[in-house]
Amino acid sequence: MPPKEKPKEDYTLKVTSPDIGGRTVLGSDKLTLVEQRQFLYVRIVRANGLPVNNMTGTCDPFVELKIGNYKGITRCFEQTSNPEWNEVYAFTRDRLQGGRLEIMVRDKESAINEIIGCLSFDLGDTPTRFPPNSPLAPQWYKLEDRNGVKVAGELMLAAWIGNQADDAFSVAWHSDAAAVSGKSVTNIRSNVYLSPVLWYLRVQVIAAQDLTPSDKNRKPEAYIKAVLGNLVLRTTVSKDKNPNPTWNEEVMFVAAEPFDDHLILSVEDKMGANKEVCLGRSVIPLHQVEKRLMPQAIGAQWINLEKYVAEGEEKTEVKFASRLHLRIFLDGLYHVFDEPTYYSSDLRATSPKLWPEKIGVLELGILKAEGLLPTKSRDGRGTTDAYCVAKYGRKWVRTSTIVDSYAPKWNEQYCWDVYDPYTVVTVGVFDNCHLQAGDKNDGTSDPRLGKVRIRLSTLETGRIYTHSYPLLVLQPNGLKKMGELHLAVKFSCNNWINLFHTYSQPLLPMMHYLQPLSVYQLDSLRHQATYILSLRLGRADPPLRREVVEYMLDTGVNRWSLRRANANCERVMTCLSGIVVLWRQFDQIRHWKINSAITVLIYSLFVAMVMCPKLILTAFFLAPFVFGVWCFPKRPRHPPHMDTKLSHAETAQPDVLDEEFDSFPSSKQGEALKTRYDRLRGISGRLMIIIGDLATQLERIHALVSWRDSRATAMFLVFCLIACFLVHKVKFKYLVLVIGTYAMRPPRLRAGIPSIPQNFLRRLPAKTDSML
C-alpha cells in the first residue's frame, strides 16, 4: 500500500465563541473579554509569639497550606518567633477536591509530623470579593493543636474567593504551578512593564580651541569621539590641521530615562593607523542636558576639556584649558523608533506637549492556546510551559506561565489608551525555560511559539472580535504550526471627531518632515533603542529576556530574504493587476472583440463626455463611489493574520530558508556560499536588464529634442509646429473626439502592425551604444 499523505496543516483564522462578558454575574467591570475563573486566595501575613523548639532553643517557622491534593509552602525564617511573610496563594476553585483549607505552622528543625500550631477553615464559609470592592482585611487567628486545643502563637491571614481581576492575582503563588518552587516562582507570574522614555541625544560638534598636541612638531589630526554606555561614535578628522579645528558635524544617540550613563566627549589626535592620543575630554551627566520639548532653537556652548591622564601618570596643572564648542540637547520633537514603521504601535513624539488627543481604548483578552507542540523534555517526556507577551505603545504585558500544558488557559485582560488607529498590537507566545531550581537554564533562551499582529484600523469600533489565530514559526527546516492562540479584541472610540481628524494628520511628528533623518540614521538609532529596551526590561522581575524583546520588536525584519523579496514582487504585481485587467478589457472593447453593442455603448459614453466635459469629473468621482458601495457586502469580516501563501512560507525551498536564517556576515563557506552568490547574480542580472530597458526608453524620449539623430529631431519639431497650429485652430473637444474615434475604430480599418509613434520612438538612439 502506498504511504498515507501527511494531512495538510490548517493555517486559517477561525471564529470562536468563548463564554465571555459575564460581568453581571460576578460584578467585575475589569473582565469583559475573558472567561472568568474563580480562585481561593489565601494571604499569609505574619505570625506572633511562636514558641521555640525545646531541642534547639530557636524557632525557624514556615507555613504549609493544604487543600485536597494541593499544597503550598511559604519561605522559612530562621531564629525568629515573629516572622512576616506577606505571601499570597491562589488555588483554582474548580479543581479543588477537598472542602476544607488546612494551614499548619511548622518548625524546620522539628520532626516531620510535628507542628507548632494549625488552623482549619470550611470553604463554604469563605467570603467572596470581586473588584472594585475593597480588599479583605487580614485577621489574627489563635493557633490550635491537632485536637483543637489552643496553643501559644497566633497567625494573621485572610482568605477569600475572587477572580483573575483581583490585585493579588499577579503576585500569588498558583496551584497550577505547584511543581515550581524557590526563586523560580517569580518567573511564572504575570506582570505589566513600561518601556523607559526614549530620547534622541544630539551632539552637534562645531569646533575646538587651544588644543595642545603631545608632539609640538606635528599638526594635529583631530576628531571627536563620543561614548555613551557601550556605544562609541566618531566624527571625521577635521580638515583644519591646527590647534583650532572645526567640524560642524552631528552624532546622535538614543538615551533612556532614568539616565544611568554619562556622555563622554574626547578630542583624539590620530597619530597613525591604529594609534590615537587623547588631547582632552569632558564627562557630561545627561540629567544636566537641556531638553527640547517645543520647536525652538537650542544655543551652542563652550565646555572645558580636562587633560586625560593615564593610570600611573601624575596629573599636571594646565594653565590654559582646551575648549570644545558644541550644541547638545535631548530632542523630544521626534518619535524614537523601536519597531519598524509599518509595525509600529506608537507614533507619538517623545515630548508630551506634542501628543495628540486620545481617541479610544484598546482592550485585549488573552484567553487560551490549543494544540501547542512540545519544545523541551522533562522527566523523559515532552512538555511546554507557555506564557504570552503583548506590546502596544510603551506598555508591555506578560501573562502568567501555565506549567506543563499543551492547552494553557490564561483568561487575562489588559487595556491600552489609543492615540492613532494606524498602529499595531503584537501578541507573542513563548515557552518558559527558566522554571527549574538552580541556574542550569540561565543561558537558555525562551523558544518562540508564534506571533499575532492586529492593526487597529482594521477593527470596527465597539465590536468584540473573538478568533483563533494560528501560531506560525518559520524555521530553517520550513514552516511549522506550533498551535493556536485564542484572543478577544475590542477597540472602543470615545471621540469620533478626533478619530476622523487623525486621518488628515501626518503619520509622524512634524520634525520628521521638516528636518528628516536619513534612512541609515533611523536604522542605526532603532537598533540602539532595541538594545536599551532589552537591557531595561531584562532587569525587571520577572524579566523580559532579550530574545523575547527582539522577537516582539521584529529586529530582523530588514534582513535579506529571497522568499520575502519574491512575496513583495508578487504584491506589486497584484496591485497592478487591476490596471492590467482594465486595459485588456478596454483593448478588447476597442478592437470589437467582446460584443459590438458594448463597444458602441462605450463609444457613445465617450462622445457624451467629450461634448459635455463636466461629466468627466463627475464620472471620475462617481466611479469609485459606486465601486466602493458594490464592495461593501464583500468587505473583510475578520482582522488580517499571518498569510502563509502571501509570504511564500509554505513553498520556500530549504536552501532559501537556510540563507534567510544565516548570520551576517555569512557563516557559510565553499559550495553553499558560491551557490547563493550565483543565484544573487542571476537575480541582479534580470533586474539590471529591466533597469537598462527603462533607461533606454527614457533616453529615446530625451533624444526627440537632443539632435542625436538630426533627421528624427527635425521631423519631430516639424510635427510639433504643425500640431501647434492645428490645436490652436481646432477646438480641443473635437481633437479628443477624433483621437478616441481613431482608437476605437472597427477591425476592418486596422492593420496588425505597430503604430507610427511606436515605430518612430523605437528608431531613436539611446546611450546603450556607448555601454561597454
Side-chain angles (χ1 to χ4, degrees), residues 320-338:
F320 297 102
S322 302
R323 298 196 302 169
L324 190 61
H325 193 203
L326 53 79
R327 184 180 292 107
I328 178 172
F329 57 96
L330 293 163
D331 201 342
L333 305 186
Y334 291 82
H335 168 69
V336 180
F337 286 99
D338 55 0

Short mmCIF file of all heavy atoms in Angstrom, two decimals, residues 320-338:
data_model
loop_
_atom_site.label_atom_id
_atom_site.label_comp_id
_atom_site.label_asym_id
_atom_site.label_seq_id
_atom_site.Cartn_x
_atom_site.Cartn_y
_atom_site.Cartn_z
N PHE A 320 46.21 76.87 30.67
CA PHE A 320 45.12 77.23 29.76
C PHE A 320 44.42 75.95 29.32
O PHE A 320 45.05 75.06 28.74
CB PHE A 320 45.66 77.99 28.54
CG PHE A 320 46.31 79.30 28.88
CD1 PHE A 320 47.69 79.41 28.91
CD2 PHE A 320 45.54 80.40 29.17
CE1 PHE A 320 48.29 80.60 29.24
CE2 PHE A 320 46.14 81.61 29.49
CZ PHE A 320 47.51 81.72 29.52
N ALA A 321 43.15 75.86 29.58
CA ALA A 321 42.39 74.66 29.24
C ALA A 321 41.90 74.74 27.81
O ALA A 321 41.54 75.80 27.32
CB ALA A 321 41.20 74.51 30.20
N SER A 322 41.91 73.58 27.13
CA SER A 322 41.30 73.49 25.81
C SER A 322 39.79 73.53 25.95
O SER A 322 39.23 73.13 26.99
CB SER A 322 41.73 72.20 25.11
OG SER A 322 43.14 72.13 25.01
N ARG A 323 39.13 74.01 24.90
CA ARG A 323 37.67 74.12 24.96
C ARG A 323 37.05 73.50 23.72
O ARG A 323 37.68 73.39 22.67
CB ARG A 323 37.26 75.59 25.05
CG ARG A 323 37.75 76.31 26.30
CD ARG A 323 36.99 77.61 26.50
NE ARG A 323 37.11 78.52 25.36
CZ ARG A 323 36.38 79.62 25.20
NH1 ARG A 323 35.49 79.95 26.13
NH2 ARG A 323 36.55 80.41 24.14
N LEU A 324 35.80 73.10 23.89
CA LEU A 324 35.04 72.49 22.80
C LEU A 324 33.75 73.26 22.62
O LEU A 324 33.01 73.50 23.58
CB LEU A 324 34.75 71.02 23.12
CG LEU A 324 34.17 70.15 22.00
CD1 LEU A 324 35.14 70.08 20.83
CD2 LEU A 324 33.87 68.75 22.51
N HIS A 325 33.48 73.67 21.39
CA HIS A 325 32.28 74.43 21.07
C HIS A 325 31.26 73.45 20.47
O HIS A 325 31.52 72.82 19.44
CB HIS A 325 32.62 75.53 20.06
CG HIS A 325 31.51 76.54 19.91
ND1 HIS A 325 31.37 77.32 18.77
CD2 HIS A 325 30.49 76.90 20.73
CE1 HIS A 325 30.32 78.11 18.91
NE2 HIS A 325 29.79 77.87 20.09
N LEU A 326 30.11 73.33 21.13
CA LEU A 326 29.12 72.35 20.66
C LEU A 326 27.72 72.77 21.06
O LEU A 326 27.51 73.69 21.85
CB LEU A 326 29.44 70.96 21.20
CG LEU A 326 29.63 70.76 22.71
CD1 LEU A 326 28.33 70.71 23.46
CD2 LEU A 326 30.43 69.50 22.99
N ARG A 327 26.79 72.08 20.48
CA ARG A 327 25.37 72.23 20.83
C ARG A 327 24.87 70.84 21.20
O ARG A 327 24.88 69.93 20.37
CB ARG A 327 24.59 72.80 19.65
CG ARG A 327 23.12 73.07 19.93
CD ARG A 327 22.41 73.64 18.71
NE ARG A 327 22.90 74.99 18.39
CZ ARG A 327 23.68 75.28 17.37
NH1 ARG A 327 24.10 74.30 16.55
NH2 ARG A 327 24.08 76.52 17.13
N ILE A 328 24.42 70.65 22.44
CA ILE A 328 23.99 69.35 22.92
C ILE A 328 22.63 69.48 23.58
O ILE A 328 22.40 70.38 24.39
CB ILE A 328 25.05 68.76 23.90
CG1 ILE A 328 24.57 67.41 24.45
CG2 ILE A 328 25.38 69.72 25.01
CD1 ILE A 328 25.63 66.69 25.26
N PHE A 329 21.73 68.58 23.22
CA PHE A 329 20.38 68.61 23.80
C PHE A 329 19.69 67.28 23.58
O PHE A 329 20.07 66.48 22.70
CB PHE A 329 19.55 69.74 23.20
CG PHE A 329 19.40 69.70 21.71
CD1 PHE A 329 18.29 69.12 21.12
CD2 PHE A 329 20.39 70.23 20.89
CE1 PHE A 329 18.16 69.07 19.74
CE2 PHE A 329 20.26 70.19 19.51
CZ PHE A 329 19.14 69.61 18.94
N LEU A 330 18.70 67.04 24.41
CA LEU A 330 17.82 65.88 24.27
C LEU A 330 16.61 66.30 23.46
O LEU A 330 15.83 67.14 23.91
CB LEU A 330 17.40 65.34 25.65
CG LEU A 330 18.52 64.73 26.49
CD1 LEU A 330 18.10 64.64 27.95
CD2 LEU A 330 18.88 63.35 25.97
N ASP A 331 16.47 65.73 22.28
CA ASP A 331 15.44 66.17 21.34
C ASP A 331 14.16 65.35 21.54
O ASP A 331 14.15 64.14 21.31
CB ASP A 331 15.94 66.03 19.90
CG ASP A 331 15.17 66.91 18.94
OD1 ASP A 331 14.07 67.36 19.31
OD2 ASP A 331 15.67 67.16 17.83
N GLY A 332 13.10 66.03 21.98
CA GLY A 332 11.82 65.37 22.18
C GLY A 332 10.82 65.61 21.08
O GLY A 332 9.64 65.28 21.23
N LEU A 333 11.26 66.20 19.96
CA LEU A 333 10.34 66.52 18.87
C LEU A 333 10.18 65.37 17.88
O LEU A 333 9.36 65.47 16.96
CB LEU A 333 10.83 67.76 18.12
CG LEU A 333 11.07 69.01 18.98
CD1 LEU A 333 11.39 70.20 18.10
CD2 LEU A 333 9.85 69.31 19.85
N TYR A 334 10.95 64.31 18.04
CA TYR A 334 10.88 63.15 17.14
C TYR A 334 10.26 61.97 17.88
O TYR A 334 10.27 61.89 19.11
CB TYR A 334 12.27 62.75 16.66
CG TYR A 334 12.93 63.73 15.71
CD1 TYR A 334 13.60 64.85 16.20
CD2 TYR A 334 12.90 63.53 14.34
CE1 TYR A 334 14.21 65.75 15.34
CE2 TYR A 334 13.52 64.42 13.47
CZ TYR A 334 14.16 65.52 13.98
OH TYR A 334 14.77 66.41 13.12
N HIS A 335 9.75 61.04 17.08
CA HIS A 335 9.38 59.75 17.64
C HIS A 335 10.58 58.83 17.57
O HIS A 335 11.20 58.68 16.51
CB HIS A 335 8.21 59.13 16.85
CG HIS A 335 7.97 57.68 17.20
ND1 HIS A 335 7.47 57.29 18.43
CD2 HIS A 335 8.17 56.54 16.49
CE1 HIS A 335 7.38 55.98 18.46
NE2 HIS A 335 7.78 55.50 17.31
N VAL A 336 10.95 58.24 18.68
CA VAL A 336 12.10 57.33 18.72
C VAL A 336 11.60 55.94 18.32
O VAL A 336 10.85 55.30 19.06
CB VAL A 336 12.74 57.31 20.12
CG1 VAL A 336 13.93 56.37 20.13
CG2 VAL A 336 13.17 58.72 20.52
N PHE A 337 12.03 55.48 17.18
CA PHE A 337 11.58 54.19 16.67
C PHE A 337 12.26 53.05 17.42
O PHE A 337 13.48 53.00 17.52
CB PHE A 337 11.88 54.06 15.17
CG PHE A 337 10.99 54.89 14.30
CD1 PHE A 337 11.40 56.12 13.82
CD2 PHE A 337 9.73 54.44 13.97
CE1 PHE A 337 10.58 56.88 13.01
CE2 PHE A 337 8.89 55.19 13.16
CZ PHE A 337 9.31 56.42 12.69
N ASP A 338 11.46 52.14 17.94
CA ASP A 338 11.98 50.88 18.46
C ASP A 338 11.40 49.69 17.68
O ASP A 338 11.76 48.55 17.95
CB ASP A 338 11.69 50.71 19.95
CG ASP A 338 10.20 50.85 20.26
OD1 ASP A 338 9.40 51.08 19.33
OD2 ASP A 338 9.83 50.75 21.45
#
